[in-house]
Amino acid sequence: WSKFGAFTLTAAYAHDGDPLPGGVALDSAAASHTALGCSGGGTCTSTFSGPFTYSRSVTPAAQFNAEVDITLNNIVDSDGAAFSGNPYTVQNIEFTASNNLQRWGRLMIGEAVSDPVLALDVPVTAEYYDGAAFVTNADDDCTVFSLANDVQLSNEATGSPQDGDQPMNIGAGTTSVTSGDGVLVNGLDLMSFSAPGTGNTGLVDITLDLDT
């Protein structure tokens, strides 16, 4: 017979799947688990939670498939009975919905020029590095940015940077973003600026920050 009771596990986490590109590493510092609780019927349960993240260098890296191994140590009950295979490793744990593909990505704001009496569309594109170059991430239908919270507009005429939902001075006129506050579709979006009017020329610098 064996005696089960609550006891403490220690766990180690390791990357599995494709070999990691240079400069990329699994970061499991925020991962945790509960003490192992055992009930009748020989069943013991521990709840694991993340997140797991992959740290990267500033050098772009090719995409890779990621899975995680969890190695459980100290599977020993209160009277010293131990799992004969200590430690035990649970291998090839997939990410939610098998979303294992990890990509080194960026969000690019294109350059655009227009007549001052016409509206101006500025392209916003989600890209990832495919191992040779940055290409459009057509799988991105979820990236969201807010003009008020994530976009800063600036130029000499207006002075200090302003939130993206505020008008910008262009000559004697102004321009404002009339669309572009939403979700990317197939990795693409447009920020549309209103026409500042005849004779009003200038520029607007756009800064997009999605760190938070």
Side-chain angles (χ1 to χ4, degrees):
W1 62 276
S2 60
K3 177 168 73 78
F4 290 117
F7 52 89
T8 301
L9 279 177
T10 58
Y13 308 92
H15 166 77
D16 205 336
D18 293 341
L20 288 178
V24 177
L26 176 67
D27 182 355
S28 60
S32 63
H33 62 277
T34 61
L36 194 65
C38 300
S39 58
T43 300
C44 299
T45 302
S46 179
T47 300
F48 289 78
S49 59
F52 295 106
T53 59
Y54 284 90
S55 60
R56 66 185 191 188
S57 68
V58 296
T59 302
Q63 62 185 6
F64 62 93
N65 281 295
E67 295 177 344
V68 175
D69 293 346
I70 301 178
T71 298
L72 307 177
N73 302 290
N74 196 36
I75 308 179
V76 182
D77 70 16
S78 57
D79 65 1
F83 170 60
S84 61
N86 256 337
Y88 178 75
T89 299
V90 182
Q91 295 181 305
N92 305 114
I93 300 172
E94 295 187 336
F95 288 77
T96 303
S98 299
N99 290 321
N100 298 333
L101 190 61
Q102 305 294 309
R103 288 171 167 171
W104 204 108
R106 69 183 186 184
L107 204 58
M108 288 293 295
I109 302 174
E111 295 184 351
V113 179
S114 180
D115 188 285
V117 298
L118 300 175
L120 176 65
D121 290 336
V122 178
V124 180
T125 307
E127 297 181 336
Y128 71 92
Y129 189 70
D130 69 356
F134 280 97
V135 297
T136 299
N137 184 4
D139 294 327
D140 191 336
D141 291 321
C142 59
T143 295
V144 179
F145 64 89
S146 163
L147 294 175
N149 299 320
D150 303 317
V151 177
Q152 291 277 291
L153 305 177
S154 60
N155 63 11
E156 292 184 0
T158 301
S160 59
Q162 299 193 140
D163 293 338
D165 60 349
Q166 299 299 308
M168 297 293 294
N169 296 327
I170 300 289
T174 62
T175 183
S176 300
V177 181
T178 57
S179 66
D181 196 353
V183 182
L184 269 65
V185 177
N186 298 327
L188 303 173
D189 195 13
L190 289 174
M191 295 178 63
S192 296
F193 286 79
S194 61
T198 301
N200 297 313
T201 60
L203 59 84
V204 175
D205 291 326
I206 307 168
T207 302
L208 181 56
D209 187 352
L210 296 180
D211 282 347
T212 58

